[in-house]
Amino acid sequence: MSVLFITGTGTEIGKTVTTAAIAAAESARGRSVAVLKPAQTGVAPGEPGDVAEVARLAGSGVTTAELARYPEPLAPDTAARRAGMPTLRPYEIAEAAAKLATEHDLVLVEGAGGLLVRFDEAGATLADAARAAGAPMLVVAQAGLGTLNSTALTALALRTMDIACAGVVVGSWPAEPDLASRCNLEDLPRSAGAPLLGLVPAGSGALPPARFRAEAASWLAPRLGGTWQG
């Protein structure tokens, strides 16, 4: 698995922090890691975006790259159209990931929003880019009520497009999980048809970077470079 795409079942559920945790855990194992953000939206030129946050948390040894940046916090296709800027094509994302993979042990490609958010006027999505790259997709999900449905829908879309689901990570695991969250630990793998590969604690992104890097492996399963056993 030299290239891994990362999507979410929605927005603001911990994709970037999860990406940073994987990068930190794999780097601690001695692997060279690159993180690619195809489309950054809602950030002005010169402002730090998601890859800057990954570098802050995971460390400067992680290579980061961004293909396009659009100022308004919208879906990439809409943001590009409103800004009068070119959109991204799936093959461009796949080619950028492949190039990084020639120089790194692992390339993490973090999407924008959910799996089927449009990247261009033809309706291409992160799923199309993953299929072009021949790479699996990791799904970052919420912990509580509603997550089983959104996870199942994301997994169904992946199967429809013949894209392997690498697993599921809960991107913001509460310190005091409620009944639904606790039950979802058993139910999420069934909804996804793929293993649960980690629980990233809520608020992890606010940890001091050194502590984040020291603890990241404990949140993730061995397949993602960690030590978490479920």
Side-chain angles (χ1 to χ4, degrees):
M1 188 172 64
S2 60
V3 178
L4 177 65
F5 279 64
I6 300 174
T7 192
T9 55
T11 59
E12 302 299 325
I13 60 170
K15 275 198 317 298
T16 298
V17 175
T18 297
T19 300
I22 298 170
E26 293 284 11
S27 293
R29 294 175 60 209
R31 302 187 75 195
S32 58
V33 180
V35 174
L36 172 65
K37 182 77 174 183
Q40 174 70 67
T41 64
V43 179
E47 291 182 348
D50 289 345
V51 293
E53 180 67 357
V54 169
R56 184 184 74 83
L57 291 171
S60 58
V62 174
T63 300
T64 58
E66 188 182 278
L67 298 184
R69 174 174 289 211
Y70 309 114
E72 294 180 317
L74 303 168
D77 172 46
T78 306
R81 185 172 66 250
R82 285 178 53 84
M85 299 171 67
T87 56
L88 279 173
R89 309 297 184 189
Y91 75 87
E92 295 176 302
I93 300 170
E95 287 178 353
K99 182 177 180 181
L100 287 168
T102 64
E103 302 164 348
H104 299 83
D105 298 318
L106 177 65
V107 179
L108 303 173
V109 184
E110 184 195 343
L115 179 67
L116 299 183
V117 169
R118 295 167 62 104
F119 272 73
D120 67 15
E121 58 274 13
T125 68
L126 187 72
D128 293 295
R131 185 165 59 178
M137 186 80 67
L138 180 72
V139 177
V140 180
Q142 293 172 306
L145 283 175
T147 195
L148 299 181
N149 181 67
S150 56
T151 300
L153 288 171
T154 300
L156 175 60
L158 290 172
R159 289 194 298 272
T160 300
M161 299 185 71
D162 198 26
I163 299 167
C165 181
V168 180
V169 171
V170 175
S172 185
W173 181 250
E176 298 182 1
D178 60 13
L179 176 62
S181 297
R182 296 194 303 272
C183 289
N184 286 341
L185 292 183
E186 180 179 350
D187 293 338
L188 273 169
R190 291 201 292 260
S191 293
L196 183 64
L197 295 180
L199 306 176
V200 178
S204 298
L207 293 173
R211 182 177 169 190
F212 182 94
R213 292 192 285 273
E215 297 184 8
S218 69
W219 309 330
L220 302 166
R223 187 173 180 184
L224 298 178
T227 58
W228 181 80
Q229 297 297 326

